[in-house]
Amino acid sequence: MPDIVAIRDLGAHHGQTVTVRGWLAGRRNGGKIVFLTLRDGTGICQGVVEARQTEAFAAADALPRESSLVVTGTVRPDARATGGCELAVESLQILHAAADFPITPKPHGIEFLMEHRHLWLRSRRPTAILRIRHTVIQACRRFFDDRGFTLIDTPILSPGAGEDAQTLFPVDYFGETVFLTQTGQLYLESACLALGKVYCFGPTFRAEKSKTRRHLTEFWMIEPEVAFAELDDVIALAEGMVCACVEAVLAKHEADLALLGRDPAPLRRVQAPFPRLTYSAAAERLRSAETRRQLEGELARDRAQLQQWVDRGVALEQQLQQARKVWEQDKLQAELHVLREDIEDLERDVQNRPKHMDLAAAFEWGKDLGGSDETILSRQFDRPVFVTHYPAVAKAFYMKRDADDPRVVCNMDLLAPEGYGEIIGGSQREDRLDALEAAMREKGLTPEDYNWYLDLRRYGSVPHGGFGLGIERTLTWICGLKHVRETIPFPRTLGRIYP
Ligand code: 4AD
Ligand code: MG
């Protein structure tokens, strides 16, 4: 058998006879020729089987989509083909002839696709996103590895809350109730007093009862923790890491971003320094007449856009009724499907907008920023923006009180631009034993339950801090998606734990 070549590398084998192993992504019969769309996980190429290859032709002619096969043929240049070449098939071995594949080239609703996520993963869009996910994770890890951080694997089973006690998943641990971890942070703090600069990367769990575009119940978080770091150091670290991630994606995934319809221009603007504003300034901004005017302008533009799309829909439907050719009907139907989804989303958005505008106008100091507040703020900047110094009442017990204004803590959230909102939460940690105990009691926590954590303030306490970046929210932004659910191979949400 000739050498097995990855489809991605076919271009280096012009004129040679090679073997490709993979799956049949599509097939088109053109009389005396069958065109096969082959994919092998590294790329996609066209295989051409001519009728004179009688055996291969017979096998290819009726082969169901997603059958697995081994194909041998000659690589020939073809400027029109993806990858710049095609495979003139000489022999074809079917490994498994697939049953009727449920996902067809016709458009499907998101619920159907999610129900078939295990098969949907084979499509171009999911594979593009998963490749970008890999790059983002790799870039984050490299960023810390290159800076002398030690990777610490923090536990997933945890005796208590690390964040909001309302969102804990209980687990029966030999008769005792323990919880799935919400964050590796507390353990990481202990490790940073041992190793200086540490990070963890793992799954975290939040029993969030919110059915939003931003919430998963299981998500992956990368968290660094640094001894002797103060808030400014934490901010600089987060800024550097986000720039490194975006840079890596831009360098490697031009084609994937294009496939997702993601305009790379806003990503190219992601350069340090990111703007910063305090929570109090953000609150004022939300309430300001200027913001109100801006939002009213946006709403008017969205309403006009909606009307345009609705008109376009009517025109497409008329064309569809008159279309005689099947391929023409398919094309129009696909376009209509996408348009209808866009209309539905924008309609919902336009409907909610007045409510969100009122929420912003009446924003009260002391509340955490809501999803819609973050959206409004993050649309006002052309790159990620840090919001710092939130009210202590709105944030977790472990954040350090600000020396100048004890109502606020030394923390930051990083909001991704274009309306995406929070992708990072972080802070300097409260390093004084008495202040930490007091903060715990204020939040209804029992300091005795956290005795080991308090030990870190009893034995050589130092200023320290860190942050957590949610991989899926970051990907939603970088890939320009509407919903977080497509950024993880098998999403777990309020309404989904299958497959
Ligand atoms: O802001 P959070 O809750 O911060 C922490 O957990 C800190 N202990 C991190 C630290 O300082 N070491 O969560 C951090 C990030 C958020 O900014 C968001 O990106 C992501 O985790 N996140 C979620 N992503 C998807 N679904 C959810 N339900 C999420 N909750 C938080
Ligand atoms: Mg947060």
Side-chain angles (χ1 to χ4, degrees), residues 163 206 368 374 395 399 412-413 422 424-426 473:
E163 290 291 327
R206 309 262 171 110
D368 202 354
E374 289 178 0
K395 287 289 171 184
M399 295 183 177
M412 58 86 165
D413 275 2
E422 181 191 338
I424 287 183
R473 290 220 189 140

Side-chain angles (χ1 to χ4, degrees), residues 41 57 102 153 207 213 234 259 307 322 388 398 427 432 481:
F57 189 82
D153 298 313
R213 301 172 191 191
V234 174
L259 186 128
Q307 191 53 52
Q322 286 153 11
T388 68
Y398 52 72
S427 72
R432 299 162 299 173
L481 308 178

